Amino acid sequence: MSQIYVSLDIETTGLRAETDFIIEIGAIKFNLDGQVLDTWSTLVNPQAPIPPKIQRITGIKQLDVAGAPLLRDVGAKLYSFVQGSHIVGHNIQFDLSFLARKGYGLTNNRLDTFELASIVLPKMRSYSLEQLTKALEIPSPAYHRALTDATLTKDLFLALDARALNLDLETV
């Protein structure tokens, strides 16, 4: 089994894979030692308006994506980047459902830091990426940009993995 992981995050125009669009993809390839092996990110032209609320949250404006590639033009690059790796994400089913709905389903083994955190840190009041990284003192320059969130998710995964090693076998 490969010990290469890809932390994946996407930003979208909304929360519904059926009606909303991907506007950014970020991915970081790493190993369990925390060594970053490669990074890949791209803005994506959604060919649809980015709602003002999403622009405020992500900082991604319509002008930013106007000249960006279409999802169909970056799908093969994403497949190539994640090939043979475990995919790590925070609430990863959200990201993967968007990609699958748009025709880019990934079948890699997946690990969800949201689920892992609920086991390793069962008394948290919130399992948002922001709250978990703050609780574990993982520094962040910002949130809600794909490559930044992918980096934070990688760091969170490694921190949770280290804590999971200290749990008794029955809990794991």
Side-chain angles (χ1 to χ4, degrees), residues 4-170:
I4 303 298
Y5 298 81
V6 172
S7 179
L8 176 68
D9 188 75
I10 65 171
E11 299 301 330
T12 64
T13 60
L15 300 176
R16 297 188 57 192
E18 302 82 25
T19 57
D20 292 309
F21 302 93
I22 296 170
I23 56 174
E24 187 177 37
I25 305 170
I28 298 179
K29 192 175 288 188
F30 67 100
N31 62 27
L32 284 179
D33 293 330
Q35 178 185 12
V36 173
L37 306 172
D38 201 0
T39 61
W40 180 79
S41 67
T42 185
L43 288 168
V44 177
N45 186 335
Q47 296 185 299
I50 301 173
K53 178 180 179 181
I54 299 301
Q55 290 185 48
R56 281 190 304 278
I57 291 171
T58 64
I60 300 170
K61 310 287 185 228
Q62 205 70 44
L63 276 174
D64 298 328
V65 298
L70 302 176
L71 184 59
R72 70 174 174 245
D73 297 327
V74 298
K77 291 176 185 172
L78 177 60
Y79 275 130
S80 177
F81 192 84
V82 303
Q83 185 177 14
S85 301
H86 304 287
I87 294 178
V88 176
H90 195 73
N91 194 14
I92 191 62
Q93 191 53 42
F94 173 84
D95 304 84
L96 296 177
S97 69
F98 260 88
L99 289 165
R101 183 71 181 188
K102 306 309 179 198
Y104 297 95
L106 300 174
T107 58
N108 305 51
N109 182 40
R110 51 203 67 172
L111 301 157
D112 192 331
T113 54
F114 183 97
E115 291 179 12
L116 184 56
S118 70
I119 296 166
V120 176
L121 303 169
K123 296 181 180 175
M124 290 290 297
R125 293 173 55 108
S126 168
Y127 290 93
S128 72
L129 182 60
E130 185 173 354
Q131 292 303 311
L132 288 167
T133 55
K134 285 180 180 177
L136 295 175
E137 298 178 351
I138 298 169
S140 172
Y143 295 91
H144 302 297
R145 287 304 300 262
L147 194 57
T148 301
D149 285 358
T151 301
L152 290 169
T153 300
K154 170 193 68 78
D155 294 342
L156 176 61
F157 174 73
L158 293 169
L160 292 171
D161 182 63
R163 286 177 177 238
L165 292 175
N166 294 322
L167 295 175
D168 62 86
L169 191 56
E170 184 177 317

